[in-house]
Amino acid sequence: MEDLRLSALPALADNYIWLLADAGGDALVVDPGEAAPVQRALAREQLRLRAILLTHHHPDHVGATAELAAATGARIHAPHDARIAASDVRVGDGDVVQLATPALRFDVLAVPGHTSSHVAYHGHGLLFCGDTLFSVGCGRLFEGTPAQMLASLERLAALPGDTLVCCGHEYTVANCAFARTLDPDNAALAARAAQAAALRQRGLATVPVSLAEERACNPFLRIDAPALVAALGHADDRVARFAALRQRKDDFRMPAA
Ligand code: ZN
Ligand code: FE
């Protein structure tokens, strides 16, 4: 990243609002579900909010958009979805978001699965992926099919390995606990689980995380690994295997500590 400052602002129960600022103090936020954490950060760091990027319509991602835009004049970039009322620029797959201030450029990728109109933004070595890809997990399939979500995740996983994954929630510890039930001999996953637990104990975020690390640890990106084929079955049907994995995660409950 060239002279950019990236912060994960904790919001609501377990959301992150991503704040990205240039050296001159111009900034954007991604998925502001709550205004106060953004307003506090803008004041503390003396930043001007110029742009808001939205990944999908869920209230925990868009809730403070209109309030922040009214307070700052920031321009709102949102996917084509009537459920997102406040928007200045609609974006879809293949579009480029080119901001004047901060001078940043992002490619828009359609990533249906969690919702039908979900998009991700990729640029400057960063991936803002909302509730599509989480660290060691992925979003629930509220509107899309397993085939759609698998294709969306594989598109994201094909980006450069040093890309930093900036996801919408802090779910890493629970995701690691689930992943280890299926992939118990994965040393990279064991290390990630220990690191994430230590970070959370200190109240720190476990993200961003590199895409290379996700490829090594995230079961939803590893459905072809022998351990996962063995655990999930459906050896000759990747979509069925992925669907089985997502179902197991939906049914998983954290063991009592
Ligand atoms: Zn969501
Ligand atoms: Fe969410």
Side-chain angles (χ1 to χ4, degrees):
M1 277 191 299
E2 60 289 354
D3 241 348
L4 298 174
R5 274 178 300 155
L6 175 71
S7 340
L9 307 178
L12 303 171
D14 48 29
N15 281 75
Y16 287 125
I17 301 168
W18 291 93
L19 171 66
L20 185 63
D22 69 9
D26 288 304
L28 65 81
V29 290
V30 183
D31 284 359
E34 191 183 9
V38 177
Q39 296 285 26
R40 280 197 301 269
L42 295 175
R44 185 177 63 234
E45 298 176 38
Q46 303 207 308
L47 303 174
R48 293 171 298 277
L49 185 64
R50 301 293 205 177
I52 297 170
L53 307 185
L54 303 178
T55 65
H56 69 293
H57 74 281
H58 285 159
D60 60 312
H61 297 256
V62 307
T65 303
E67 180 182 347
L68 288 171
T72 64
R75 276 169 71 77
I76 305 163
H77 301 72
H80 295 274
D81 191 319
R83 295 172 294 188
I84 301 175
S87 173
D88 298 305
V89 184
R90 295 287 177 178
V91 299
D93 193 52
D95 287 346
V96 173
V97 173
Q98 178 73 62
L99 303 176
T101 47
L104 298 174
R105 178 190 190 283
F106 296 94
D107 293 311
V108 180
L109 293 87
V111 283
H114 178 66
T115 67
S116 55
S117 62
H118 200 304
V119 298
Y121 301 88
H122 174 239
H124 306 273
L126 304 173
L127 174 65
F128 298 107
C129 52
D131 291 356
T132 298
L133 174 64
F134 295 127
S135 184
V136 196
C138 76
R140 282 179 188 264
L141 302 183
F142 286 124
E143 296 175 4
T145 64
Q148 279 180 316
M149 187 58 139
L150 178 57
S152 293
L153 290 173
E154 292 189 325
R155 255 189 111 182
L156 298 182
L159 294 170
D162 60 358
T163 304
L164 292 179
V165 175
C166 304
C167 57
H169 290 268
E170 179 62 65
Y171 290 156
T172 312
V173 167
N175 285 347
C176 285
F178 168 69
R180 294 185 77 189
T181 65
L182 300 170
D183 201 5
D185 300 324
N186 182 339
L189 173 60
R192 175 64 171 151
Q195 178 211 42
L199 285 167
R200 294 310 293 153
Q201 245 162 20
R202 296 162 60 200
L204 300 176
T206 65
V207 285
V209 60
S210 76
L211 207 39
E213 189 163 0
E214 284 307 303
R215 285 189 209 124
C217 298
N218 190 324
F220 294 92
L221 304 184
R222 285 172 47 75
I223 62 164
D224 299 323
L228 283 146
V229 176
L232 297 166
H234 305 284
D236 50 9
D237 186 338
R238 302 183 74 241
V239 173
R241 205 154 69 237
F242 180 84
L245 175 59
R246 187 57 257 182
Q247 187 61 51
R248 291 239 207 150
K249 179 65 172 69
D250 289 347
D251 298 339
F252 178 74
R253 294 293 169 268
M254 277 288 274

